[in-house]
Amino acid sequence: MTSSPIDPEWQHDTQDIGRLVRAVYACISGPAGAPRDWDRFRYLQHPRATSLRTVVEADGSTRAAVFDVESYIADVEPFFASNDFHEIEIEQRVQRFGEVAHAWSLYEARPSPDSPVLLKRGANSIQLCHEHGRWWIFSTIWDNERPGLTFDLW
């Protein structure tokens, strides 16, 4: 998890699924070169969490890039070092059964939260489990809108 002291706000993040998802966006958002809050990000993720990014190849075919928490951080840090990037949730739907939940989170990426420039839009499919008195993210899978692909589940 993290060796840093636990901020009480982080604990609050894990008590509500909507807040937890928005906290992840806050962790990865910021101006180019600004440090991201990786300690908070690690705290929100289960130690065995995975992420899967859909990659579109030059020929239009797709493949899955799969990461654990640390390899995800290593993968995105160079991009964040040189790019302004703010991911903003625009809609969320949560379904829960007992101690498991699924959240669809639609997002927009912009250079700053109030920028009129849209970098991309997409959808995160997030699987969570309530364990030890808190919600944990166990898996995040996402894809971005592109020609021929728009989010239309609701």
Side-chain angles (χ1 to χ4, degrees), residues 54-63 143-144 146:
T54 301
V55 177
V56 180
E57 303 291 1
D59 67 0
S61 65
T62 58
R63 68 176 171 83
D143 203 350
N144 295 318
R146 55 187 174 274

Side-chain angles (χ1 to χ4, degrees), residues 76-101:
V76 297
E77 278 188 320
F79 176 82
F80 293 153
S82 58
N83 293 278
D84 295 327
F85 183 83
H86 293 263
E87 214 162 72
I88 302 131
E89 184 175 66
I90 57 174
E91 193 167 354
Q92 183 182 104
R93 298 277 172 101
V94 176
Q95 295 175 306
R96 178 179 175 182
F97 180 76
E99 302 305 301
V100 298

Side-chain angles (χ1 to χ4, degrees), residues 116-137:
V117 176
L118 179 65
L119 302 172
K120 63 182 174 179
R121 286 173 31 113
N124 283 310
S125 172
I126 304 166
Q127 292 72 47
L128 307 101
C129 182
H130 195 267
E131 176 182 67
H132 305 299
R134 59 162 286 180
W135 286 102
W136 297 88
I137 293 176

Side-chain angles (χ1 to χ4, degrees), residues 20-77:
L20 190 157
V21 171
R22 288 185 298 277
V24 169
Y25 289 130
C27 291
I28 66 171
S29 294
R36 299 314 199 255
D37 196 347
W38 295 127
D39 286 339
R40 182 182 185 193
F41 183 83
R42 288 179 183 102
Y43 182 78
L44 301 173
Q45 310 282 327
H46 188 273
R48 294 178 61 191
T50 58
S51 296
L52 183 152
R53 175 192 311 130
T54 301
V55 177
V56 180
E57 303 291 1
D59 67 0
S61 65
T62 58
R63 68 176 171 83
V66 180
F67 308 95
D68 63 15
V69 173
E70 295 306 318
S71 64
Y72 170 78
I73 292 169
D75 183 71
V76 297
E77 278 188 320

Side-chain angles (χ1 to χ4, degrees), residues 106-121:
L106 303 183
Y107 60 85
E108 294 179 342
R110 298 181 180 275
S112 67
D114 56 351
S115 173
V117 176
L118 179 65
L119 302 172
K120 63 182 174 179
R121 286 173 31 113

